[in-house]
Amino acid sequence: MTREKVLRGLPGRGKMEHTTTARHFIFGREMCKIGGHMSDLAPTVLLSAEDVQTRVKALAREISREYPPDEDLHLVAILKGAFLFLGDLIRAMDRNVTIDFMAVSSYAKGTTSSGEVRMIKDLDSGLEGRNVIIVEDIVDTGLTLAYLQEILHARNPRTLRTACLLSKPSRRKIDVKVEYVGFTIEDRFVVGYGLDFAEKYRNLPYIGVLNE
């Protein structure tokens, strides 16, 4: 999933200013320089690497139990944030799986998200008759996921379910069904394990909160 113009999930959301030398995102009372020194935003651990790996393996077992062992599962990861989650999830499944990727983007009207979504990368294969699981990094407003579920359901999969690593129910703007949830968290801006801030921090093995 895209991070909805980088600031998705930040309390107050903030506004964006452009300068001739750098871009700055203002939120609350602090300013973060994009492309500059980031040490003042060192993430605080929210979920340790061990916590994440333990929960992902449990989710893999939970998902596998709900499908007959002779049926393949087709997992669709939403780029970029879900790529690590997908990798660990399928490695914990003792069954036949296939994978594919999609990329979507929310875009802004003025300084706020419009809630509209556009597709950047479509799937490479069809879904008809397949057991499809959407793999998301994080679900907050639900708008992007609702869009994905609608367009993928129209492609006639045999089943269509969703697995997300993180859920922020306090930010929901639309009711969406998520069958498999790794962790439910408060409204904090999180990075690590595939999630980014300005394309940084994706490589962290844990989920961290940026100091706000």
Side-chain angles (χ1 to χ4, degrees):
M1 172 187 289
T2 60
R3 301 306 299 278
E4 296 185 5
K5 294 303 179 184
V6 177
L7 292 178
R8 189 187 70 187
L10 276 170
R13 201 172 187 91
K15 64 179 180 178
M16 184 169 69
E17 290 187 355
H18 294 276
T19 71
T20 57
T21 58
R23 288 184 299 158
H24 297 74
F25 293 102
I26 301 174
F27 54 94
R29 291 172 291 184
E30 297 186 14
M31 180 179 291
C32 304
K33 185 175 181 180
I34 305 305
H37 186 57
M38 298 291 289
S39 62
D40 57 330
L41 291 178
T44 301
V45 176
L46 176 66
L47 298 165
S48 71
E50 182 179 1
D51 291 336
V52 171
Q53 291 300 319
T54 298
R55 183 62 185 133
V56 171
K57 290 175 182 177
L59 273 179
R61 292 192 297 268
E62 180 182 345
I63 292 170
S64 290
R65 282 196 301 265
E66 296 196 2
Y67 295 87
D70 59 339
E71 292 186 7
D72 293 354
L73 301 184
H74 187 63
L75 281 68
V76 175
I78 310 306
L79 298 173
K80 298 178 184 175
F83 74 103
L84 287 180
F85 179 34
L86 172 73
D88 287 339
L89 194 64
I90 62 173
R91 283 184 291 185
M93 290 182 174
D94 186 17
R95 63 183 306 134
N96 290 329
V97 298
T98 54
I99 64 172
D100 208 338
F101 299 90
M102 292 186 76
V104 296
S105 174
S106 299
Y107 59 93
K109 291 181 177 178
T111 58
T112 60
S113 173
S114 66
E116 298 179 66
V117 182
R118 63 186 177 90
M119 186 181 301
I120 298 174
K121 179 196 179 303
D122 203 348
L123 299 175
D124 294 327
S125 59
L127 301 182
E128 187 170 0
R130 306 174 86 169
N131 293 314
V132 177
I133 299 174
I134 301 171
V135 180
E136 273 277 33
D137 56 352
I138 188 167
V139 177
D140 50 16
T141 65
L143 296 171
T144 299
L145 180 56
Y147 167 82
L148 290 167
Q149 290 175 340
E150 181 179 3
I151 62 173
L152 296 188
H153 186 268
R155 300 181 186 187
N156 299 316
R158 180 177 181 181
T159 61
L160 180 64
R161 296 177 182 173
T162 300
C164 76
L165 178 66
L166 304 173
S167 176
K168 291 183 183 178
S170 65
R171 283 184 48 82
R172 289 290 194 278
K173 292 184 178 180
I174 187 172
D175 185 28
V176 289
K177 188 173 184 179
V178 182
E179 287 83 0
Y180 312 107
V181 176
F183 302 93
T184 298
I185 63 173
E186 297 179 354
D187 186 12
R188 308 290 299 277
F189 190 82
V190 289
V191 296
Y193 197 66
L195 291 88
D196 76 299
F197 176 81
E199 294 299 326
K200 299 177 185 287
Y201 306 111
R202 294 191 192 274
N203 58 311
L204 297 178
Y206 61 87
I207 304 294
V209 178
L210 287 184
N211 297 322
E212 301 164 0

PDB file of all heavy atoms in Angstrom, residues 183-209:
ATOM      1  N   PHE A 183      -1.843  -7.218  13.888  1.00  0.00           N
ATOM      2  CA  PHE A 183      -1.881  -6.408  15.104  1.00  0.00           C
ATOM      3  C   PHE A 183      -2.852  -5.245  14.909  1.00  0.00           C
ATOM      4  O   PHE A 183      -2.908  -4.651  13.837  1.00  0.00           O
ATOM      5  CB  PHE A 183      -0.501  -5.818  15.428  1.00  0.00           C
ATOM      6  CG  PHE A 183       0.597  -6.830  15.618  1.00  0.00           C
ATOM      7  CD1 PHE A 183       1.400  -7.210  14.545  1.00  0.00           C
ATOM      8  CD2 PHE A 183       0.827  -7.394  16.858  1.00  0.00           C
ATOM      9  CE1 PHE A 183       2.427  -8.134  14.712  1.00  0.00           C
ATOM     10  CE2 PHE A 183       1.847  -8.321  17.042  1.00  0.00           C
ATOM     11  CZ  PHE A 183       2.646  -8.692  15.971  1.00  0.00           C
ATOM     12  N   THR A 184      -3.589  -4.928  15.952  1.00  0.00           N
ATOM     13  CA  THR A 184      -4.401  -3.711  15.980  1.00  0.00           C
ATOM     14  C   THR A 184      -3.638  -2.675  16.791  1.00  0.00           C
ATOM     15  O   THR A 184      -3.234  -2.930  17.930  1.00  0.00           O
ATOM     16  CB  THR A 184      -5.768  -3.984  16.616  1.00  0.00           C
ATOM     17  OG1 THR A 184      -6.471  -4.943  15.820  1.00  0.00           O
ATOM     18  CG2 THR A 184      -6.596  -2.705  16.692  1.00  0.00           C
ATOM     19  N   ILE A 185      -3.420  -1.496  16.184  1.00  0.00           N
ATOM     20  CA  ILE A 185      -2.600  -0.480  16.837  1.00  0.00           C
ATOM     21  C   ILE A 185      -3.351   0.846  16.913  1.00  0.00           C
ATOM     22  O   ILE A 185      -4.349   1.056  16.219  1.00  0.00           O
ATOM     23  CB  ILE A 185      -1.260  -0.277  16.107  1.00  0.00           C
ATOM     24  CG1 ILE A 185      -1.488   0.246  14.685  1.00  0.00           C
ATOM     25  CG2 ILE A 185      -0.457  -1.574  16.095  1.00  0.00           C
ATOM     26  CD1 ILE A 185      -0.212   0.641  13.961  1.00  0.00           C
ATOM     27  N   GLU A 186      -2.834   1.745  17.750  1.00  0.00           N
ATOM     28  CA  GLU A 186      -3.396   3.084  17.863  1.00  0.00           C
ATOM     29  C   GLU A 186      -2.939   3.927  16.675  1.00  0.00           C
ATOM     30  O   GLU A 186      -2.137   3.491  15.844  1.00  0.00           O
ATOM     31  CB  GLU A 186      -2.951   3.714  19.184  1.00  0.00           C
ATOM     32  CG  GLU A 186      -3.453   2.982  20.418  1.00  0.00           C
ATOM     33  CD  GLU A 186      -2.978   3.631  21.707  1.00  0.00           C
ATOM     34  OE1 GLU A 186      -2.169   4.588  21.622  1.00  0.00           O
ATOM     35  OE2 GLU A 186      -3.403   3.185  22.777  1.00  0.00           O
ATOM     36  N   ASP A 187      -3.451   5.140  16.617  1.00  0.00           N
ATOM     37  CA  ASP A 187      -3.163   6.029  15.498  1.00  0.00           C
ATOM     38  C   ASP A 187      -1.780   6.660  15.689  1.00  0.00           C
ATOM     39  O   ASP A 187      -1.645   7.787  16.135  1.00  0.00           O
ATOM     40  CB  ASP A 187      -4.235   7.117  15.411  1.00  0.00           C
ATOM     41  CG  ASP A 187      -4.068   7.983  14.177  1.00  0.00           C
ATOM     42  OD1 ASP A 187      -3.276   7.597  13.296  1.00  0.00           O
ATOM     43  OD2 ASP A 187      -4.721   9.041  14.102  1.00  0.00           O
ATOM     44  N   ARG A 188      -0.765   5.901  15.329  1.00  0.00           N
ATOM     45  CA  ARG A 188       0.621   6.372  15.380  1.00  0.00           C
ATOM     46  C   ARG A 188       1.242   6.169  14.003  1.00  0.00           C
ATOM     47  O   ARG A 188       0.859   5.268  13.266  1.00  0.00           O
ATOM     48  CB  ARG A 188       1.430   5.583  16.427  1.00  0.00           C
ATOM     49  CG  ARG A 188       0.801   5.541  17.802  1.00  0.00           C
ATOM     50  CD  ARG A 188       0.848   6.877  18.500  1.00  0.00           C
ATOM     51  NE  ARG A 188       2.220   7.331  18.704  1.00  0.00           N
ATOM     52  CZ  ARG A 188       2.998   6.945  19.723  1.00  0.00           C
ATOM     53  NH1 ARG A 188       2.537   6.034  20.599  1.00  0.00           N
ATOM     54  NH2 ARG A 188       4.216   7.427  19.866  1.00  0.00           N
ATOM     55  N   PHE A 189       2.225   7.000  13.665  1.00  0.00           N
ATOM     56  CA  PHE A 189       2.898   6.837  12.372  1.00  0.00           C
ATOM     57  C   PHE A 189       4.001   5.807  12.534  1.00  0.00           C
ATOM     58  O   PHE A 189       4.982   6.028  13.249  1.00  0.00           O
ATOM     59  CB  PHE A 189       3.478   8.153  11.879  1.00  0.00           C
ATOM     60  CG  PHE A 189       3.966   8.069  10.459  1.00  0.00           C
ATOM     61  CD1 PHE A 189       3.075   8.198   9.411  1.00  0.00           C
ATOM     62  CD2 PHE A 189       5.298   7.830  10.180  1.00  0.00           C
ATOM     63  CE1 PHE A 189       3.509   8.097   8.096  1.00  0.00           C
ATOM     64  CE2 PHE A 189       5.744   7.726   8.874  1.00  0.00           C
ATOM     65  CZ  PHE A 189       4.848   7.865   7.830  1.00  0.00           C
ATOM     66  N   VAL A 190       3.835   4.667  11.879  1.00  0.00           N
ATOM     67  CA  VAL A 190       4.741   3.541  12.082  1.00  0.00           C
ATOM     68  C   VAL A 190       5.582   3.278  10.835  1.00  0.00           C
ATOM     69  O   VAL A 190       5.153   3.522   9.709  1.00  0.00           O
ATOM     70  CB  VAL A 190       3.964   2.264  12.474  1.00  0.00           C
ATOM     71  CG1 VAL A 190       3.410   2.397  13.879  1.00  0.00           C
ATOM     72  CG2 VAL A 190       2.841   1.965  11.483  1.00  0.00           C
ATOM     73  N   VAL A 191       6.785   2.766  11.080  1.00  0.00           N
ATOM     74  CA  VAL A 191       7.721   2.444  10.008  1.00  0.00           C
ATOM     75  C   VAL A 191       8.368   1.106  10.324  1.00  0.00           C
ATOM     76  O   VAL A 191       8.248   0.574  11.417  1.00  0.00           O
ATOM     77  CB  VAL A 191       8.811   3.533   9.857  1.00  0.00           C
ATOM     78  CG1 VAL A 191       8.214   4.859   9.439  1.00  0.00           C
ATOM     79  CG2 VAL A 191       9.611   3.675  11.163  1.00  0.00           C
ATOM     80  N   GLY A 192       9.087   0.587   9.336  1.00  0.00           N
ATOM     81  CA  GLY A 192       9.798  -0.670   9.521  1.00  0.00           C
ATOM     82  C   GLY A 192       9.043  -1.850   8.947  1.00  0.00           C
ATOM     83  O   GLY A 192       7.846  -1.787   8.690  1.00  0.00           O
ATOM     84  N   TYR A 193       9.764  -2.933   8.709  1.00  0.00           N
ATOM     85  CA  TYR A 193       9.187  -4.167   8.169  1.00  0.00           C
ATOM     86  C   TYR A 193       8.357  -3.871   6.910  1.00  0.00           C
ATOM     87  O   TYR A 193       7.232  -4.303   6.749  1.00  0.00           O
ATOM     88  CB  TYR A 193       8.338  -4.863   9.233  1.00  0.00           C
ATOM     89  CG  TYR A 193       8.029  -6.319   8.914  1.00  0.00           C
ATOM     90  CD1 TYR A 193       9.041  -7.277   8.878  1.00  0.00           C
ATOM     91  CD2 TYR A 193       6.733  -6.720   8.659  1.00  0.00           C
ATOM     92  CE1 TYR A 193       8.750  -8.603   8.584  1.00  0.00           C
ATOM     93  CE2 TYR A 193       6.435  -8.051   8.368  1.00  0.00           C
ATOM     94  CZ  TYR A 193       7.446  -8.971   8.321  1.00  0.00           C
ATOM     95  OH  TYR A 193       7.168 -10.293   8.030  1.00  0.00           O
ATOM     96  N   GLY A 194       8.953  -3.081   6.024  1.00  0.00           N
ATOM     97  CA  GLY A 194       8.307  -2.745   4.763  1.00  0.00           C
ATOM     98  C   GLY A 194       7.659  -1.378   4.723  1.00  0.00           C
ATOM     99  O   GLY A 194       7.476  -0.814   3.645  1.00  0.00           O
ATOM    100  N   LEU A 195       7.301  -0.827   5.874  1.00  0.00           N
ATOM    101  CA  LEU A 195       6.663   0.487   5.919  1.00  0.00           C
ATOM    102  C   LEU A 195       7.720   1.582   5.972  1.00  0.00           C
ATOM    103  O   LEU A 195       8.761   1.424   6.608  1.00  0.00           O
ATOM    104  CB  LEU A 195       5.735   0.602   7.126  1.00  0.00           C
ATOM    105  CG  LEU A 195       4.467  -0.247   7.089  1.00  0.00           C
ATOM    106  CD1 LEU A 195       4.724  -1.625   7.679  1.00  0.00           C
ATOM    107  CD2 LEU A 195       3.346   0.435   7.870  1.00  0.00           C
ATOM    108  N   ASP A 196       7.414   2.704   5.329  1.00  0.00           N
ATOM    109  CA  ASP A 196       8.441   3.722   5.161  1.00  0.00           C
ATOM    110  C   ASP A 196       8.017   5.100   5.630  1.00  0.00           C
ATOM    111  O   ASP A 196       6.841   5.380   5.852  1.00  0.00           O
ATOM    112  CB  ASP A 196       8.812   3.828   3.684  1.00  0.00           C
ATOM    113  CG  ASP A 196       7.754   4.584   2.885  1.00  0.00           C
ATOM    114  OD1 ASP A 196       6.591   4.110   2.840  1.00  0.00           O
ATOM    115  OD2 ASP A 196       8.065   5.635   2.310  1.00  0.00           O
ATOM    116  N   PHE A 197       9.008   5.951   5.755  1.00  0.00           N
ATOM    117  CA  PHE A 197       8.823   7.392   5.796  1.00  0.00           C
ATOM    118  C   PHE A 197       9.764   7.957   4.752  1.00  0.00           C
ATOM    119  O   PHE A 197      10.983   7.791   4.862  1.00  0.00           O
ATOM    120  CB  PHE A 197       9.166   7.974   7.176  1.00  0.00           C
ATOM    121  CG  PHE A 197       9.065   9.481   7.222  1.00  0.00           C
ATOM    122  CD1 PHE A 197       7.828  10.094   7.375  1.00  0.00           C
ATOM    123  CD2 PHE A 197      10.190  10.273   7.094  1.00  0.00           C
ATOM    124  CE1 PHE A 197       7.723  11.479   7.403  1.00  0.00           C
ATOM    125  CE2 PHE A 197      10.089  11.653   7.117  1.00  0.00           C
ATOM    126  CZ  PHE A 197       8.853  12.262   7.274  1.00  0.00           C
ATOM    127  N   ALA A 198       9.207   8.545   3.685  1.00  0.00           N
ATOM    128  CA  ALA A 198      10.013   9.078   2.576  1.00  0.00           C
ATOM    129  C   ALA A 198      10.974   8.018   2.045  1.00  0.00           C
ATOM    130  O   ALA A 198      12.136   8.297   1.763  1.00  0.00           O
ATOM    131  CB  ALA A 198      10.776  10.330   3.014  1.00  0.00           C
ATOM    132  N   GLU A 199      10.486   6.771   1.926  1.00  0.00           N
ATOM    133  CA  GLU A 199      11.216   5.621   1.393  1.00  0.00           C
ATOM    134  C   GLU A 199      12.327   5.114   2.323  1.00  0.00           C
ATOM    135  O   GLU A 199      13.086   4.226   1.947  1.00  0.00           O
ATOM    136  CB  GLU A 199      11.794   5.917  -0.004  1.00  0.00           C
ATOM    137  CG  GLU A 199      10.731   6.133  -1.073  1.00  0.00           C
ATOM    138  CD  GLU A 199       9.837   4.899  -1.260  1.00  0.00           C
ATOM    139  OE1 GLU A 199      10.341   3.784  -1.114  1.00  0.00           O
ATOM    140  OE2 GLU A 199       8.643   5.072  -1.565  1.00  0.00           O
ATOM    141  N   LYS A 200      12.414   5.631   3.530  1.00  0.00           N
ATOM    142  CA  LYS A 200      13.395   5.147   4.497  1.00  0.00           C
ATOM    143  C   LYS A 200      12.723   4.196   5.481  1.00  0.00           C
ATOM    144  O   LYS A 200      11.502   4.192   5.612  1.00  0.00           O
ATOM    145  CB  LYS A 200      14.034   6.309   5.254  1.00  0.00           C
ATOM    146  CG  LYS A 200      14.785   7.306   4.375  1.00  0.00           C
ATOM    147  CD  LYS A 200      15.309   8.460   5.205  1.00  0.00           C
ATOM    148  CE  LYS A 200      15.944   9.519   4.324  1.00  0.00           C
ATOM    149  NZ  LYS A 200      17.242   9.099   3.782  1.00  0.00           N
ATOM    150  N   TYR A 201      13.534   3.413   6.185  1.00  0.00           N
ATOM    151  CA  TYR A 201      13.122   2.541   7.287  1.00  0.00           C
ATOM    152  C   TYR A 201      12.471   1.231   6.857  1.00  0.00           C
ATOM    153  O   TYR A 201      12.141   0.410   7.708  1.00  0.00           O
ATOM    154  CB  TYR A 201      12.177   3.265   8.269  1.00  0.00           C
ATOM    155  CG  TYR A 201      12.698   4.550   8.818  1.00  0.00           C
ATOM    156  CD1 TYR A 201      12.122   5.765   8.451  1.00  0.00           C
ATOM    157  CD2 TYR A 201      13.756   4.564   9.719  1.00  0.00           C
ATOM    158  CE1 TYR A 201      12.596   6.966   8.972  1.00  0.00           C
ATOM    159  CE2 TYR A 201      14.230   5.746  10.238  1.00  0.00           C
ATOM    160  CZ  TYR A 201      13.655   6.952   9.859  1.00  0.00           C
ATOM    161  OH  TYR A 201      14.124   8.132  10.379  1.00  0.00           O
ATOM    162  N   ARG A 202      12.269   0.990   5.577  1.00  0.00           N
ATOM    163  CA  ARG A 202      11.605  -0.252   5.166  1.00  0.00           C
ATOM    164  C   ARG A 202      12.383  -1.486   5.610  1.00  0.00           C
ATOM    165  O   ARG A 202      11.809  -2.551   5.821  1.00  0.00           O
ATOM    166  CB  ARG A 202      11.438  -0.304   3.643  1.00  0.00           C
ATOM    167  CG  ARG A 202      10.493   0.728   3.048  1.00  0.00           C
ATOM    168  CD  ARG A 202      10.216   0.391   1.585  1.00  0.00           C
ATOM    169  NE  ARG A 202       9.548   1.469   0.882  1.00  0.00           N
ATOM    170  CZ  ARG A 202       8.227   1.655   0.861  1.00  0.00           C
ATOM    171  NH1 ARG A 202       7.452   0.830   1.547  1.00  0.00           N
ATOM    172  NH2 ARG A 202       7.689   2.652   0.181  1.00  0.00           N
ATOM    173  N   ASN A 203      13.700  -1.359   5.726  1.00  0.00           N
ATOM    174  CA  ASN A 203      14.552  -2.508   6.020  1.00  0.00           C
ATOM    175  C   ASN A 203      14.587  -2.888   7.496  1.00  0.00           C
ATOM    176  O   ASN A 203      15.171  -3.918   7.844  1.00  0.00           O
ATOM    177  CB  ASN A 203      15.985  -2.213   5.565  1.00  0.00           C
ATOM    178  CG  ASN A 203      16.558  -0.968   6.233  1.00  0.00           C
ATOM    179  OD1 ASN A 203      15.916   0.070   6.249  1.00  0.00           O
ATOM    180  ND2 ASN A 203      17.764  -1.076   6.769  1.00  0.00           N
ATOM    181  N   LEU A 204      13.983  -2.108   8.373  1.00  0.00           N
ATOM    182  CA  LEU A 204      14.001  -2.449   9.796  1.00  0.00           C
ATOM    183  C   LEU A 204      13.257  -3.760  10.028  1.00  0.00           C
ATOM    184  O   LEU A 204      12.194  -3.987   9.445  1.00  0.00           O
ATOM    185  CB  LEU A 204      13.353  -1.343  10.617  1.00  0.00           C
ATOM    186  CG  LEU A 204      14.041   0.027  10.599  1.00  0.00           C
ATOM    187  CD1 LEU A 204      13.241   1.019  11.423  1.00  0.00           C
ATOM    188  CD2 LEU A 204      15.464  -0.075  11.104  1.00  0.00           C
ATOM    189  N   PRO A 205      13.755  -4.625  10.900  1.00  0.00           N
ATOM    190  CA  PRO A 205      13.093  -5.906  11.149  1.00  0.00           C
ATOM    191  C   PRO A 205      11.923  -5.794  12.132  1.00  0.00           C
ATOM    192  O   PRO A 205      11.222  -6.768  12.344  1.00  0.00           O
ATOM    193  CB  PRO A 205      14.215  -6.767  11.740  1.00  0.00           C
ATOM    194  CG  PRO A 205      15.088  -5.787  12.436  1.00  0.00           C
ATOM    195  CD  PRO A 205      15.062  -4.544  11.582  1.00  0.00           C
ATOM    196  N   TYR A 206      11.738  -4.638  12.715  1.00  0.00           N
ATOM    197  CA  TYR A 206      10.679  -4.413  13.690  1.00  0.00           C
ATOM    198  C   TYR A 206       9.753  -3.301  13.233  1.00  0.00           C
ATOM    199  O   TYR A 206      10.031  -2.613  12.239  1.00  0.00           O
ATOM    200  CB  TYR A 206      11.290  -4.058  15.060  1.00  0.00           C
ATOM    201  CG  TYR A 206      12.138  -2.805  15.056  1.00  0.00           C
ATOM    202  CD1 TYR A 206      11.562  -1.540  15.246  1.00  0.00           C
ATOM    203  CD2 TYR A 206      13.518  -2.867  14.859  1.00  0.00           C
ATOM    204  CE1 TYR A 206      12.333  -0.399  15.224  1.00  0.00           C
ATOM    205  CE2 TYR A 206      14.296  -1.724  14.840  1.00  0.00           C
ATOM    206  CZ  TYR A 206      13.701  -0.479  15.022  1.00  0.00           C
ATOM    207  OH  TYR A 206      14.457   0.649  14.994  1.00  0.00           O
ATOM    208  N   ILE A 207       8.654  -3.106  13.932  1.00  0.00           N
ATOM    209  CA  ILE A 207       7.738  -1.991  13.689  1.00  0.00           C
ATOM    210  C   ILE A 207       8.055  -0.907  14.701  1.00  0.00           C
ATOM    211  O   ILE A 207       8.037  -1.161  15.917  1.00  0.00           O
ATOM    212  CB  ILE A 207       6.265  -2.406  13.818  1.00  0.00           C
ATOM    213  CG1 ILE A 207       5.944  -3.567  12.882  1.00  0.00           C
ATOM    214  CG2 ILE A 207       5.340  -1.223  13.560  1.00  0.00           C
ATOM    215  CD1 ILE A 207       6.023  -3.249  11.427  1.00  0.00           C
ATOM    216  N   GLY A 208       8.351   0.277  14.222  1.00  0.00           N
ATOM    217  CA  GLY A 208       8.712   1.373  15.114  1.00  0.00           C
ATOM    218  C   GLY A 208       7.812   2.584  14.906  1.00  0.00           C
ATOM    219  O   GLY A 208       7.149   2.721  13.878  1.00  0.00           O
ATOM    220  N   VAL A 209       7.800   3.448  15.913  1.00  0.00           N
ATOM    221  CA  VAL A 209       7.039   4.699  15.876  1.00  0.00           C
ATOM    222  C   VAL A 209       8.021   5.844  15.755  1.00  0.00           C
ATOM    223  O   VAL A 209       8.992   5.925  16.512  1.00  0.00           O
ATOM    224  CB  VAL A 209       6.188   4.886  17.140  1.00  0.00           C
ATOM    225  CG1 VAL A 209       5.432   6.213  17.099  1.00  0.00           C
ATOM    226  CG2 VAL A 209       5.207   3.729  17.294  1.00  0.00           C
TER     227      VAL A 209
END
